[in-house]
Amino acid sequence: MTRLEGHGKITIIMDENGNFADAYFQTVEFRGYEKFLAGLPIEEVPRTVSTICGVCRGVHHTAATKASDGVYGVEPTETAKKIRELFLNAHYVEDHAVILYALGLPDFVVGPEADPAERNLIGLVRRVGVDIAKEILKKRKCAVKIFELLGGKPIHPVAGLPGGWSKKIEENERQEIEKLAKELVELGQITLQIFEDVILKNEKYMELVTGDLYRTVLNYMGTVDDSERINYYDGVQKIVDTRGNEIGRFRGKEYLEYIAERVIPWSYMKFPYLKQLGWNDIRDGEGTSIYSVGPLPRLNVSEGMNTPLAQEHYEKMFEVLGEKPAHYILSFHWARAIELLNAAERVLELAQDESITNSDVRAELGEVTGEGVGILEAPRGTLIHHYKTDDRGIVEEANLIVATTHNNAAINLAIRNAAKKFVKNGEIDEKILNYVEMAFRPYDLCLACATHTLPGRMPIEIEVYDSEGMLYRRLRNF
Amino acid sequence: MMGEWEPNIIVIACNWCTYQAADLAGSLRYPYPTTVKIIRVPCSGRVEPEFIIETLRNADGVLIGGCHPGDCHYKEGNYKAARRFKLIQKMLVEMGIEPERVRLEWISGSEGLRFAEVMREFDAKIRELGPLRW
Amino acid sequence: MSKIKLAIYLSAGCAGCEMALVDLSEKLIDALENIEIVWWTPTVVDLKYKDLENLEDKSIDVALVDGAVRLSEQEHVIKILRQKTKVLVAFGACAAMGGVPGLANFHKREELLETAYINTWSTDNPDGVLPQTEYDVNGSKLTLPEFYGEVKALHQVVDVDYFIGGCPPHHDHVAVAVEAIIKGELPPKGSWITSGKSVCDSCRRNPAQKGEIRKPIEKVRRTIEGTPDEECLLQQGYLCLGPVTQGDCGGSCPQVNIPCRGCGGPVAGKDFGARAVGALASLMTDEAVDEMLEKIPSLGKFLYRYSLPVSLINRKK
């Protein structure tokens, strides 16, 4: 993985008439985790890679832990699997909540053309009222509590080990988690209610959601279980094409047969594409080899959700959007809200299962196989951690593909589509910054694993060049 | 520049043995290179790993001199020194430093001749390795 | 009393330290009675770099910087921030010590690039190109900033008044630090804001807490070997770095059966890895030392997990 930070940079190139010709989205730094993890014992990796991102640290921890199972040829105990899934789902609730309330929703609740100083969490609080805002924050904190209780530390967790988890859940802890989980389910319901009131009931917004400005036709990938329902912790990776036909499915190391990451000299972030379709440039529409991952793609590839309340919303969403796969990228936010409720329901289910307090949290390790792949669904999309070790389990090589990287081409395409509309006859509408931001937000919002700024507040610089290659205009939001 | 380079070698010597050996080498006029500078410490067990690393920021080689096993004035300082030395040398190698630049020797107070020999040999080795440049 | 003016800047970090601030929740809201956040960029408030430049010198009372320094842009912002701020705090392991990203200093920049863009298994790079700082696409130049070949901690770039350890600092410790800042009860300049206790001091497994004498370490165990009992992890051979690490976390890792790796920063001395070697070797038998060398082949990465950029020798020769 290319670990990036700093600000995002968008370069727009105009033709001789001053109309849009092309656009490029670049992220500007690189970190080198894949190299410097070499030499560490594999069990030290999960607690180390969580620092790839302080926002979605739990997914890196869990994916690396899954990969470490493979290195030791061990299947975690049932109890450990339940704990890991509980941990991951609690993480989903707090992460999805941050993304939705800090970024996704302000665009709508405050309005896409509002002053950026107002179009944020603080502006959102003003619109929905302080009491509701406090209630939401309090409920989100419940998820953070579960995360800390299980992970050992409130931000970067340490408890994942090959074959299991370092700590068992005591009965009193289970009861506490169950209590907290009920609050999370309520948070999911409140969130979908806000979504319904603010967006679904607003015709203008629905035009935006189901309009062509934010429609990118791509292939999609996500994890499904045996009954084709979404699963975040484990399952099989399913890929569908632009029309929803299955292209393939894979597990573990087979990802190398399906995904390749193209290096493009103008970007520190690579461009993954579907290997079987071959590299045919960064383009959307039928026949593209570009795919995207994340909440909407997950809903697109699956047949439904594994919890009852979320399932109702799943059905409703596709009914309203009128297509499956849905290519309307603003509905990532809708899918995200549905997933929040789903994860909350799942936390509750797992917490109500008393066998989760069993003490068999660590399985006996097998022989070192020397290789492990951990794939799971991070809130922002599929996350792949792949390690090769020596016969003692010491890391020799690593390969990481994070959600943001999978979506690199998709983000470029979404920005291109938005830029097309706002660069005309040498005139550049100032609103372009807002609308371009809205175009990349659905995919990651944070680019956190890539750029290290919290969701939505990513500093963006847009440079517009004329057909002679001269700088014509520079816009910045920082 | 390279032609003028002279090694900078630091010897951290235990007061009860290696330092006495250096003294004896002097009294008996056993020659050893002038590139060697000696720092006296009460015991090789006093040599913290930080001392070794700090020294290497400016020196081309470091030698810790302690009492033979069983002879430590403080009973087990030299055993502790040996354990630390093994670990620190390993870390230095990881930083790209040649292991020969860091050396641990047991030299007793009566071994003046050996002290001079070890110094000559160490000096030659460091010259062979060249300057430690950061 | 006028409010304390606070600025927060995320440099090359993961934003985990800022999450620790957010996790203060109600306490943060209470603290806002005494604190005015004048600049929190780029994470939370949409303010521009220009806004910082326009402030009077020394008009910010306290600035927290999280993350290490990797880009010229970051160094630039930090220097301005220094100029505008009375008390500058290196907040968390990356700013104070370089942090996990500092492990990159074990490798040359070229090695890092080659791994990411050529050697990784899923990479498709038919022409063997690396990202270019300047690249021509259909007549237009696309540029990328060059990143420093070396990760640095904050005080290697500007003068720093205080350090706070932790990856990230535990929110309870953040609350203590924020209170100390509000009350103006700060230690001498250049200090760590810490209880001064080690992880062992705050660990319930510590034999000293039970009036027992510590036994030598006779065997070395990786975390995967066996299941620890309720006694001291180090005594059982798990290489816990609690003795040399500041324990403002409350010893959270050992509480979940996981040994400390030193994110809190060194209890004393400059060089965490060297201090760790000193402490461990003193507690170990000869056999245990040999076992450690065999089991942990990259001792440097193991012991300098959070602190390589500030160690006495801080990058590969």
Side-chain angles (χ1 to χ4, degrees):
Chain A
M1 181 198 70
T2 57
R3 154 97 171 175
L4 307 143
E5 60 176 33
H7 60 263
K9 197 168 161 253
I10 294 166
T11 304
I12 297 172
I13 294 164
M14 300 188 298
D15 63 17
E16 53 279 11
N17 302 320
N19 289 324
F20 169 87
D22 216 341
Y24 304 89
F25 170 68
Q26 300 166 277
T27 26
V28 300
E29 214 213 320
F30 157 79
R31 265 306 177 50
Y33 271 75
E34 284 159 330
K35 181 70 195 176
F36 68 63
L37 291 171
L40 285 177
I42 186 73
E43 69 275 14
E44 297 291 325
V45 170
R47 66 187 300 180
T48 308
V49 290
S50 70
T51 61
I52 287 172
C53 175
V55 180
C56 58
R57 67 276 182 201
V59 295
H60 288 289
H61 183 72
T62 312
T65 304
K66 280 181 76 176
S68 76
D69 295 338
V71 168
Y72 285 100
V74 60
E75 187 66 25
T77 63
E78 282 309 309
T79 311
K81 279 188 201 166
K82 285 176 194 162
I83 295 175
R84 289 182 188 176
E85 194 182 343
L86 176 58
F87 172 78
L88 184 65
N89 278 280
H91 185 25
Y92 252 76
V93 174
E94 62 97 8
D95 193 329
H96 270 1
V98 167
I99 304 305
L100 279 168
Y101 287 100
L103 318 152
L105 288 174
D107 281 339
F108 295 101
V109 177
V110 187
E113 289 175 13
D115 180 358
E118 186 67 11
R119 205 162 27 85
N120 53 29
L121 186 57
I122 298 159
L124 179 86
V125 170
R126 239 171 248 151
R127 298 294 165 105
V128 300
V130 174
D131 290 343
I132 295 179
K134 272 194 180 158
E135 190 60 22
I136 290 166
L137 276 175
K138 211 184 87 200
K139 290 193 188 318
R140 176 196 165 260
K141 185 76 190 271
C142 295
V144 178
K145 278 185 194 150
I146 299 174
F147 186 92
E148 177 173 6
L149 185 77
L150 299 179
K153 272 167 77 191
I155 305 291
H156 291 305
V158 295
L161 285 176
W165 202 253
S166 75
K167 177 191 171 294
K168 79 177 280 276
I169 299 181
E170 304 298 335
E171 174 56 24
N172 61 334
E173 291 172 333
R174 186 197 66 76
Q175 286 169 13
E176 195 193 334
I177 295 170
E178 187 181 343
K179 228 182 277 165
L180 295 166
K182 287 179 180 154
E183 304 248 347
L184 300 185
V185 175
E186 282 172 26
L187 175 63
Q189 285 168 314
I190 294 172
T191 306
L192 278 158
Q193 192 59 50
I194 293 177
F195 201 87
E196 177 136 5
D197 292 346
V198 173
I199 300 171
L200 301 190
K201 290 183 182 158
N202 182 323
E203 263 180 48
K204 212 177 125 207
Y205 288 168
M206 282 315 283
E207 268 173 36
L208 210 51
V209 171
T210 58
D212 280 345
L213 178 57
Y214 293 113
R215 186 179 149 93
T216 312
V217 176
L218 297 171
N219 308 297
Y220 299 101
M221 182 169 82
T223 311
V224 294
D225 66 13
D226 292 342
S227 16
E228 299 293 301
R229 292 175 309 181
I230 292 182
N231 194 300
Y232 310 122
Y233 173 70
D234 206 11
V236 58
Q237 295 313 115
K238 182 178 167 189
I239 310 168
V240 301
D241 68 12
T242 54
R243 296 171 167 220
N245 302 315
E246 183 170 329
I247 308 180
R249 47 179 72 207
F250 64 85
R251 277 175 203 274
K253 205 187 156 184
E254 292 159 8
Y255 82 93
L256 289 170
E257 292 160 36
Y258 290 85
I259 297 169
E261 297 175 276
R262 187 79 165 192
V263 178
I264 306 277
W266 50 263
S267 173
Y268 279 127
M269 186 150 59
K270 292 179 270 191
F271 288 85
Y273 64 94
L274 296 172
K275 214 168 165 177
Q276 283 151 329
L277 303 180
W279 173 254
N280 55 14
D281 213 349
I282 303 169
R283 61 180 188 86
D284 57 350
E286 224 164 291
T288 175
S289 62
I290 302 299
Y291 62 97
S292 93
V293 299
L296 183 63
R298 280 191 286 260
L299 268 64
N300 275 340
V301 303
S302 73
E303 303 285 330
M305 314 298 288
N306 60 12
T307 58
L309 297 175
Q311 176 63 23
E312 286 172 26
H313 288 276
Y314 172 94
E315 286 163 18
K316 181 173 177 186
M317 187 188 93
F318 283 109
E319 200 188 302
V320 171
L321 294 178
E323 62 175 15
K324 191 179 176 206
H327 303 292
Y328 300 109
I329 59 178
L330 291 185
S331 43
F332 265 70
H333 297 306
W334 194 352
R336 189 170 278 120
I338 296 170
E339 287 191 342
L340 193 163
L341 176 61
N342 172 236
E345 288 183 275
R346 194 68 194 128
V347 170
L348 183 59
E349 277 178 14
L350 286 158
Q352 283 171 336
D353 174 356
E354 284 178 18
S355 70
I356 202 163
T357 59
N358 288 354
S359 45
D360 60 329
V361 292
R362 286 178 66 183
E364 191 96 8
L365 301 186
E367 289 281 303
V368 175
T369 67
E371 187 163 10
V373 179
I375 302 183
L376 54 71
E377 288 295 324
R380 291 165 192 81
T382 311
L383 172 63
I384 302 174
H385 279 234
H386 183 184
Y387 302 95
K388 282 189 186 167
T389 71
D390 68 7
D391 57 6
R392 296 168 298 174
I394 306 295
V395 175
E396 288 180 330
E397 289 177 274
N399 191 32
L400 315 175
I401 310 179
V402 304
T404 304
T405 305
H406 290 295
N407 282 335
N408 192 8
I411 295 166
N412 265 275
L413 289 165
I415 287 169
R416 244 184 236 178
N417 288 342
K420 248 180 228 167
K421 186 178 151 86
F422 290 96
V423 179
K424 280 223 171 93
N425 305 322
E427 281 174 31
I428 293 144
D429 191 329
E430 289 279 355
K431 286 181 206 135
I432 187 174
L433 263 171
N434 285 6
Y435 280 93
V436 161
E437 271 186 51
M438 281 176 72
F440 68 74
R441 248 175 221 177
Y443 286 104
D444 180 57
L445 308 181
C446 110
L447 279 172
C449 299
T451 64
H452 291 296
T453 49
L454 273 188
R457 298 282 80 86
M458 186 175 70
I460 278 281
E461 180 176 73
I462 300 182
E463 286 181 346
V464 185
Y465 289 87
D466 65 19
S467 58
E468 311 277 290
M470 299 298 285
L471 182 63
Y472 182 78
R473 188 79 190 274
R474 178 181 275 137
L475 297 159
R476 293 175 141 191
N477 69 350
F478 62 95
Chain B
M1 267 300 277
M2 280 303 282
E4 291 163 24
W5 174 73
E6 280 287 298
N8 182 19
I9 292 170
I10 303 293
V11 172
I12 306 178
C14 159
N15 175 52
W16 303 94
C17 52
T18 309
Y19 192 80
Q20 303 301 328
D23 216 12
L24 186 63
S27 313
L28 297 176
R29 298 175 187 258
Y30 295 137
Y32 63 87
T34 55
T35 51
V36 171
K37 288 113 189 158
I38 304 177
I39 296 170
R40 178 163 64 158
V41 290
C43 174
S44 58
R46 175 66 189 97
V47 182
E48 296 199 18
E50 265 178 325
F51 294 4
I52 300 175
I53 303 186
E54 177 84 56
T55 307
L56 278 178
R57 295 168 78 187
N58 295 300
D60 304 298
V62 188
L63 186 142
I64 317 297
C67 304
H68 285 278
D71 272 355
C72 177
H73 188 76
Y74 308 98
K75 290 211 165 79
E76 52 185 33
N78 52 357
Y79 291 109
K80 196 196 259 186
R83 294 198 293 268
R84 286 172 166 176
F85 182 83
K86 267 191 189 172
L87 296 176
I88 206 72
Q89 192 183 38
K90 176 80 181 298
M91 289 216 299
L92 290 169
V93 169
E94 243 180 276
M95 304 303 301
I97 294 174
E98 298 85 351
E100 298 91 343
R101 291 188 191 272
V102 199
R103 199 160 157 178
L104 176 70
E105 284 292 337
W106 308 138
I107 304 172
S108 79
S110 60
E111 294 177 310
L113 180 60
R114 183 150 177 274
F115 178 85
E117 278 170 5
V118 169
M119 293 307 130
R120 285 198 294 270
E121 196 193 304
F122 192 42
D123 176 78
K125 186 75 210 173
I126 299 298
R127 282 177 195 277
E128 187 189 314
L129 293 171
L132 179 56
R133 282 181 203 277
W134 290 103
Chain C
M1 196 179 94
S2 65
K3 287 190 175 187
I4 291 173
K5 290 190 163 63
L6 178 73
I8 301 161
Y9 173 61
L10 170 64
S11 192
C14 72
C17 293
E18 314 212 359
M19 295 293 281
L21 280 174
V22 172
D23 286 349
L24 284 173
S25 260
E26 319 86 66
K27 283 183 196 156
L28 183 65
I29 292 165
D30 293 343
L32 288 176
E33 284 179 20
N34 298 306
I35 290 176
E36 181 196 349
I37 297 175
V38 293
W39 204 71
W40 188 343
T41 300
T43 316
V44 172
V45 186
D46 268 331
L47 283 174
K48 306 184 176 197
Y49 290 167
K50 221 171 49 228
D51 301 324
L52 179 66
E53 281 167 22
N54 291 341
L55 292 174
E56 302 254 320
D57 282 4
K58 305 290 170 203
S59 63
I60 298 170
D61 294 303
V62 180
L64 306 179
V65 175
D66 55 315
V69 187
R70 187 90 211 232
L71 289 175
S72 54
E73 180 189 315
Q74 290 156 352
E75 185 165 345
H76 174 72
V77 174
I78 287 165
K79 284 186 170 156
I80 298 173
L81 198 56
R82 173 68 279 186
Q83 205 181 325
K84 307 293 176 188
T85 303
K86 288 183 198 134
V87 177
L88 183 72
V89 183
F91 184 61
C94 290
M97 304 185 285
V100 169
L103 284 175
N105 288 8
F106 270 112
H107 303 278
K108 301 272 185 225
R109 181 168 54 180
E110 294 66 34
E111 280 180 75
L112 302 173
L113 288 169
E114 226 178 86
T115 299
Y117 300 109
I118 296 186
N119 298 333
T120 27
W121 310 303
S122 50
T123 296
D124 167 32
N125 190 351
D127 304 324
V129 291
L130 292 178
Q132 304 293 311
T133 50
E134 241 187 51
Y135 188 75
D136 192 87
V137 196
N138 309 327
S140 291
K141 270 201 180 70
L142 294 180
T143 57
L144 287 173
E146 187 139 4
F147 61 96
Y148 292 164
E150 188 185 338
V151 175
K152 291 179 189 166
L154 191 62
H155 68 274
Q156 292 168 323
V157 176
V158 291
D159 195 27
V160 169
D161 298 295
Y162 297 103
F163 300 85
I164 296 179
C167 179
H170 192 278
H171 52 79
D172 289 343
H173 182 53
V174 175
V176 171
V178 168
E179 201 182 314
I181 289 169
I182 290 172
K183 291 186 176 160
E185 290 168 357
L186 288 163
K189 188 177 139 80
S191 308
W192 289 72
I193 298 178
T194 170
S195 65
K197 287 182 176 172
S198 69
V199 169
C200 293
D201 276 332
S202 43
C203 179
R204 61 178 161 78
R205 295 168 180 270
N206 185 352
Q209 311 268 31
K210 298 175 239 168
E212 290 164 16
I213 291 173
R214 182 178 284 283
K215 296 186 202 92
I217 306 164
E218 291 175 344
K219 206 176 158 17
V220 167
R221 287 190 172 92
R222 281 167 50 181
T223 321
I224 47 166
E225 296 177 74
T227 308
D229 60 27
E230 288 303 303
E231 303 301 314
C232 169
L233 292 172
L234 194 48
Q235 218 161 261
Q236 295 171 65
Y238 298 105
L239 297 169
C240 181
L241 304 180
V244 288
T245 304
Q246 290 175 166
D248 302 301
C249 55
S252 49
C253 296
Q255 272 180 36
V256 295
N257 309 322
I258 295 287
C260 170
R261 290 290 173 259
C263 78
V267 166
K270 285 186 197 165
D271 191 304
F272 184 88
R275 300 296 293 196
V277 163
L280 291 173
S282 309
L283 293 166
M284 285 172 143
T285 62
D286 291 348
E287 293 72 26
V289 166
D290 290 338
E291 202 180 354
M292 178 168 166
L293 287 170
E294 192 198 304
K295 288 190 170 170
I296 315 288
S298 179
L299 211 50
K301 282 182 179 169
F302 195 83
L303 298 177
Y304 288 117
R305 189 82 51 92
Y306 299 95
S307 63
L308 183 64
V310 301
S311 65
L312 291 166
I313 290 178
N314 60 4
R315 67 196 143 83
K316 198 170 180 187
K317 195 187 132 190

